[in-house]
Amino acid sequence: MKKILLFLLCFVIVCFGKSDLFVMPYEQTKAFKSLQGSLQRAQKSIDIAIYSFTNRELAKTLRDSAKRGVQVRIIFDDGNKKDNRSMLGYLDKYNNITTCLLKGKKAQNGNYYGIMHQKMVIIDKNLLYIGSANWSKNAFENNYETLFYEDDPYVVNKALQFYEEMFKDCTPY
């Protein structure tokens, strides 16, 4: 009986689990629509760690999600806070959106800090998008980038634990 249950569980995960890889610029439309659609369907939370965020359409999607009551948290690289194209200042003014800045770790020689170079979002604690693409128009239209999503609970929870550690170390925008 245990073997049958284990088989059925594995079958369900393999057959009904969600994951996909988008390669841009070839699948730019599919990648963007997948990400934007998932953000629009969020019910409770959207946790983002992004190095650069200049895409207005995605910013408006997050604004609308926050207006629906979804809690949005954004960790942004501290060194990019002066980028006048960034959507962080635009989003920071809305209720249900928390923005913060994070430096990378201090170099061993003490001369500089690394950067917060993540590009990931965790939606409702059960869907992870991760890849090389910043949230810019250029990344989705012109660059050679990847965007991968996964709903495997182990992978999503591992990313969420990492996100929470980063969030503890960031400072308000």
Side-chain angles (χ1 to χ4, degrees):
M1 184 65 165
K2 286 183 181 180
K3 288 182 180 180
I4 292 172
L5 288 174
L6 183 58
F7 172 78
L8 288 174
L9 177 62
C10 291
F11 178 79
V12 167
I13 289 171
V14 170
C15 291
F16 300 106
K18 292 187 293 183
S19 67
D20 203 352
L21 173 67
F22 301 104
V23 181
M24 295 169 281
Y26 310 110
E27 298 176 297
Q28 60 182 272
T29 302
K30 283 176 60 177
F32 188 83
K33 285 184 178 184
S34 175
L35 176 60
Q36 187 178 43
S38 293
L39 294 172
Q40 290 168 336
R41 289 186 298 276
Q43 298 295 307
K44 296 177 183 173
S45 64
I46 299 172
D47 294 321
I48 302 164
I50 196 75
Y51 177 74
S52 177
F53 183 177
T54 59
N55 188 294
R56 291 173 193 239
E57 286 181 70
L58 291 177
K60 289 176 184 176
T61 300
L62 291 174
R63 174 202 65 199
D64 294 346
S65 294
K67 285 182 178 181
R68 290 187 293 106
V70 175
Q71 297 298 310
V72 178
R73 297 187 299 173
I74 304 170
I75 300 172
F76 194 70
D77 178 63
D78 184 71
N80 274 338
K81 65 184 170 191
K82 295 178 183 173
D83 183 351
N84 61 357
R85 298 169 299 149
S86 172
M87 292 290 106
L88 206 61
Y90 165 76
L91 290 168
D92 186 61
K93 64 186 175 189
Y94 290 101
N95 290 333
N96 298 326
I97 297 180
T98 303
T99 59
C100 65
L101 303 169
L102 184 64
K103 288 182 184 177
K105 297 291 182 184
K106 194 170 191 174
Q108 287 183 353
N109 65 13
N111 293 336
Y112 63 92
Y113 285 87
I115 58 176
M116 195 300 300
H117 205 242
Q118 289 293 322
K119 291 102 174 168
M120 76 172 175
V121 59
I122 303 163
I123 301 168
D124 291 334
K125 297 183 177 18
N126 62 27
L127 182 63
L128 168 70
Y129 279 84
I130 195 163
S132 64
N134 282 303
W135 287 12
S136 67
K137 190 172 175 77
N138 208 32
F140 282 92
E141 293 182 5
N142 304 313
N143 295 355
Y144 290 93
E145 304 275 7
T146 57
L147 183 65
F148 176 77
Y149 73 85
E150 174 67 63
D151 72 348
D152 177 85
Y154 172 79
V155 174
V156 174
N157 286 328
K158 186 172 184 176
L160 187 57
Q161 288 174 359
F162 179 62
Y163 183 90
E164 294 297 348
E165 289 300 314
M166 289 191 305
F167 196 80
K168 283 186 219 172
D169 291 337
C170 66
T171 57
Y173 175 70

